[in-house]
Tab-separated table of all heavy atoms in Angstrom:
chain	number	residue	atom	x	y	z
A	4	SER	N	2.355	1.930	-3.331
A	4	SER	CA	1.327	2.467	-4.229
A	4	SER	C	1.056	3.931	-3.942
A	4	SER	O	0.895	4.743	-4.857
A	4	SER	CB	0.024	1.688	-4.086
A	4	SER	OG	0.201	0.362	-4.482
A	7	GLY	N	3.836	6.039	-5.290
A	7	GLY	CA	3.662	6.169	-6.733
A	7	GLY	C	2.562	7.161	-7.066
A	7	GLY	O	2.698	7.976	-7.978
A	24	GLN	N	-6.741	8.532	4.727
A	24	GLN	CA	-7.748	7.464	4.687
A	24	GLN	C	-7.101	6.093	4.861
A	24	GLN	O	-7.659	5.212	5.517
A	24	GLN	CB	-8.540	7.515	3.373
A	24	GLN	CG	-9.495	8.678	3.289
A	24	GLN	CD	-10.570	8.618	4.357
A	24	GLN	OE1	-11.088	7.560	4.702
A	24	GLN	NE2	-10.898	9.770	4.902
A	36	PHE	N	2.292	0.875	10.764
A	36	PHE	CA	2.134	1.345	9.386
A	36	PHE	C	1.306	2.629	9.361
A	36	PHE	O	1.609	3.566	8.618
A	36	PHE	CB	1.493	0.246	8.532
A	36	PHE	CG	1.381	0.568	7.073
A	36	PHE	CD1	2.391	1.223	6.398
A	36	PHE	CD2	0.253	0.190	6.365
A	36	PHE	CE1	2.285	1.509	5.038
A	36	PHE	CE2	0.138	0.463	5.012
A	36	PHE	CZ	1.152	1.126	4.348
A	45	HIS	N	1.057	14.340	7.357
A	45	HIS	CA	1.392	15.555	8.111
A	45	HIS	C	2.527	16.333	7.430
A	45	HIS	O	2.506	17.566	7.401
A	45	HIS	CB	1.765	15.199	9.552
A	45	HIS	CG	2.190	16.381	10.359
A	45	HIS	ND1	1.342	17.436	10.644
A	45	HIS	CD2	3.379	16.690	10.932
A	45	HIS	CE1	1.990	18.338	11.359
A	45	HIS	NE2	3.229	17.902	11.540
A	49	PRO	N	1.054	20.093	6.844
A	49	PRO	CA	1.359	20.267	8.266
A	49	PRO	C	0.330	21.059	9.061
A	49	PRO	O	0.338	21.005	10.286
A	49	PRO	CB	2.718	20.976	8.252
A	49	PRO	CG	2.828	21.598	6.917
A	49	PRO	CD	2.035	20.746	5.980
A	52	TRP	N	-4.886	19.311	11.604
A	52	TRP	CA	-4.866	18.680	12.927
A	52	TRP	C	-5.189	17.193	12.877
A	52	TRP	O	-4.726	16.424	13.719
A	52	TRP	CB	-5.832	19.390	13.882
A	52	TRP	CG	-7.277	19.214	13.545
A	52	TRP	CD1	-8.024	19.966	12.691
A	52	TRP	CD2	-8.150	18.216	14.061
A	52	TRP	NE1	-9.310	19.498	12.633
A	52	TRP	CE2	-9.419	18.416	13.469
A	52	TRP	CE3	-7.992	17.162	14.957
A	52	TRP	CZ2	-10.512	17.619	13.741
A	52	TRP	CZ3	-9.089	16.367	15.232
A	52	TRP	CH2	-10.337	16.599	14.626
A	69	ASP	N	3.360	8.702	26.069
A	69	ASP	CA	3.947	10.038	26.008
A	69	ASP	C	3.939	10.571	24.573
A	69	ASP	O	3.665	11.756	24.354
A	69	ASP	CB	5.370	10.046	26.580
A	69	ASP	CG	5.380	9.864	28.094
A	69	ASP	OD1	4.413	10.291	28.758
A	69	ASP	OD2	6.351	9.277	28.614
A	71	ALA	N	1.797	9.698	22.262
A	71	ALA	CA	0.395	9.981	21.948
A	71	ALA	C	-0.001	11.347	22.496
A	71	ALA	O	-0.568	12.176	21.773
A	71	ALA	CB	-0.507	8.888	22.522
A	79	ARG	N	-3.741	20.007	18.874
A	79	ARG	CA	-4.589	21.043	19.460
A	79	ARG	C	-4.139	22.440	19.056
A	79	ARG	O	-4.938	23.374	19.048
A	79	ARG	CB	-4.587	20.949	20.994
A	79	ARG	CG	-5.343	19.781	21.543
A	79	ARG	CD	-5.369	19.760	23.080
A	79	ARG	NE	-5.580	21.070	23.642
A	79	ARG	CZ	-4.715	21.692	24.452
A	79	ARG	NH1	-3.581	21.128	24.800
A	79	ARG	NH2	-4.990	22.889	24.925
A	80	LYS	N	-2.861	22.601	18.738
A	80	LYS	CA	-2.316	23.916	18.403
A	80	LYS	C	-2.625	24.335	16.968
A	80	LYS	O	-2.410	25.490	16.603
A	80	LYS	CB	-0.808	23.925	18.640
A	80	LYS	CG	-0.444	23.750	20.104
A	80	LYS	CD	1.046	23.643	20.294
A	80	LYS	CE	1.369	23.364	21.756
A	80	LYS	NZ	2.805	23.140	21.961
A	94	ALA	N	-7.829	12.400	27.238
A	94	ALA	CA	-8.344	11.770	28.463
A	94	ALA	C	-7.929	10.303	28.517
A	94	ALA	O	-7.494	9.804	29.566
A	94	ALA	CB	-9.865	11.909	28.530
A	105	GLU	N	-5.871	14.386	35.555
A	105	GLU	CA	-5.670	14.992	34.231
A	105	GLU	C	-6.638	14.381	33.223
A	105	GLU	O	-7.204	15.080	32.381
A	105	GLU	CB	-4.219	14.802	33.787
A	105	GLU	CG	-3.852	15.549	32.546
A	105	GLU	CD	-3.764	17.065	32.721
A	105	GLU	OE1	-3.958	17.585	33.832
A	105	GLU	OE2	-3.508	17.734	31.710
A	127	THR	N	-18.148	10.181	9.122
A	127	THR	CA	-16.924	9.553	9.603
A	127	THR	C	-16.373	10.274	10.819
A	127	THR	O	-16.006	9.653	11.815
A	127	THR	CB	-15.850	9.507	8.498
A	127	THR	OG1	-16.376	8.778	7.392
A	127	THR	CG2	-14.580	8.841	8.987
A	135	ALA	N	-14.321	7.767	20.380
A	135	ALA	CA	-13.448	8.343	21.402
A	135	ALA	C	-14.220	8.563	22.700
A	135	ALA	O	-13.720	8.266	23.789
A	135	ALA	CB	-12.838	9.652	20.906
A	144	GLY	N	-14.402	4.643	33.599
A	144	GLY	CA	-15.472	4.085	34.419
A	144	GLY	C	-16.669	5.010	34.569
A	144	GLY	O	-17.365	4.972	35.589
Side-chain angles (χ1 to χ4, degrees):
S4 296
Q24 288 297 322
F36 185 40
H45 177 63
W52 68 273
D69 289 330
R79 288 183 41 241
K80 295 175 184 175
E105 188 71 2
T127 301

